[in-house]
Amino acid sequence: MFTLDEARTRLAALMPQLEELIGVRADLAELRADLDTGGHSELGGLAEAKALEARLYAALEEIADQDIEVKGFAPLLLDFPGELDGRAVRWCWLEGDEGIDWYHRSDTGFAGRRPC
């Protein structure tokens, strides 16, 4: 369980890793597109695609190992379990957000997002 301040602090510490993950995801998407259409890419071949895929999944697993819920990776969506007024919530960060400015009740999911 994270307080809002703890979730924000954890997110700030994770940002370099998240930025790297987003770059790996973009490289993997480009490499796959190149391999699917032309069979070759400046980014490499099948071996490089497998290596990027392994890096991507390792990074996602590393985040999940910190008790942060990875809800999506394109776009990247993270939930930090917490509590607000005695109710289970998720402090919610969506790729592109500057910080954690949203939450939702645990039983409503993303559709129930509200400003903090």
Side-chain angles (χ1 to χ4, degrees), residues 22-96:
I22 291 165
V24 167
R25 183 191 66 203
D27 286 348
L28 179 58
E30 185 177 316
L31 178 53
R32 281 184 178 164
D34 288 347
L35 294 177
D36 287 347
T37 58
H40 64 281
S41 171
E42 292 179 8
L43 295 171
L46 185 57
E48 287 76 15
K50 294 291 184 185
L52 288 169
E53 192 172 88
R55 284 178 57 197
L56 177 68
Y57 288 112
L60 293 170
E61 189 173 306
E62 193 174 313
I63 293 166
D65 286 346
Q66 297 178 53
D67 298 322
I68 300 166
E69 299 171 1
V70 179
K71 298 296 186 168
F73 70 94
L76 192 55
L77 176 61
L78 305 178
D79 279 351
F80 297 74
E83 187 175 80
L84 180 64
D85 299 329
R87 182 165 280 208
V89 298
R90 299 296 187 259
W91 309 112
C92 188
W93 179 80
L94 176 63
E95 183 179 329

